[in-house]
Amino acid sequence: MEDFPSLDDAVGAQEQMRIREEREQKVFAPGVDEEEAADCKCECCPPRSTQEQTDYCCRSLFSLPLLKKGQLLRDGLIGCMKEFEGHSCITKHPHFTEYILTESATKAAAHMFSMMSGEEVPDTNKSRRYGAYRLFIASSIGHLGKGIRIRLPSCFVRAVRDRWPSPNYTGFASSELTDI
């Protein structure tokens, strides 16, 4: 019979996973000031006092050094939006206003997730928000993989929350998957 790791070993492994996960979710290169990334240049982000520390403006993706996931997100946005000029914010672009931020698209995304995961998705604003987040990733980066997450621009999150409000929001959450 195999020996189980000690509690200290398990706690250490869990902390290493948390650190790796935190590092993998970063969008901007080391040395980029989080306040500079969060500074709203698109005029659509929520007030900084209501944001989390690592929230960022969509315009920062186009002006600051990025890590791999940030580059994938920026390049995907450029590809699906074709012409970004003329729009102060990604949420003003027709790709978002006519495709992602629509009732029918988010409802379809929620039902697709329900079919694939086997989880029942109630017909609520929460399922619409999650559908919009999934559409954002699917249309800009593609499938990330189970448990792989990336923080979305705060202006996009705000637009989604304005469209499908709730008294309580979960906010960005790390994956619940563990590979101990």
Side-chain angles (χ1 to χ4, degrees):
M1 185 164 163
E2 292 184 38
D3 291 329
F4 286 104
S6 70
L7 181 57
D8 289 340
D9 289 343
V11 168
Q14 188 174 22
E15 178 62 15
Q16 286 178 340
M17 285 185 348
R18 185 194 64 73
I19 291 168
R20 186 191 80 226
E21 190 174 75
E22 191 175 284
R23 184 180 62 244
E24 289 174 353
Q25 293 169 352
K26 290 196 179 283
V27 173
F28 298 98
V32 170
D33 180 35
E34 290 177 340
E35 289 302 317
E36 182 181 2
D39 183 35
C40 184
K41 295 166 189 69
C42 71
E43 301 177 4
C44 294
C45 297
R48 184 65 179 130
S49 61
T50 64
Q51 297 180 34
E52 294 181 23
Q53 181 179 352
T54 53
D55 284 352
Y56 62 94
C57 175
C58 67
R59 287 299 210 180
S60 297
L61 291 170
F62 302 94
S63 63
L64 297 174
L66 304 168
L67 292 174
K68 183 179 179 182
K69 280 190 181 175
Q71 291 170 355
L72 287 171
L73 184 57
R74 180 203 56 216
D75 295 347
L77 288 171
I78 290 170
C80 68
M81 294 189 320
K82 304 292 184 248
E83 78 294 333
F84 185 66
E85 298 307 316
H87 300 282
S88 62
C89 179
I90 61 172
T91 63
K92 304 297 183 195
H93 190 277
H95 178 73
F96 291 91
T97 59
E98 297 171 14
Y99 174 62
I100 294 179
L101 296 174
T102 67
E103 194 73 25
S104 57
T106 56
K107 185 176 183 179
H111 286 293
M112 181 73 78
F113 175 75
S114 179
M115 281 185 355
M116 291 172 45
S117 68
E119 295 178 28
E120 186 64 32
V121 178
D123 189 21
T124 65
N125 281 355
K126 182 176 183 178
S127 68
R128 297 294 193 275
R129 287 192 306 274
Y130 286 7
Y133 301 147
R134 286 186 188 94
L135 285 171
F136 181 97
I137 292 300
S139 66
S140 58
I141 297 178
H143 182 66
L144 291 175
K146 187 172 183 174
I148 301 173
R149 300 179 181 194
I150 185 170
R151 188 174 293 275
L152 302 177
S154 56
C155 42
F156 176 73
V157 173
R158 180 184 194 177
V160 170
R161 288 178 176 180
D162 286 350
R163 179 84 167 87
W164 296 285
S166 170
N168 304 331
Y169 296 104
T170 303
F172 183 78
S174 296
S175 172
E176 295 175 5
L177 294 178
T178 57
D179 57 0
I180 292 180

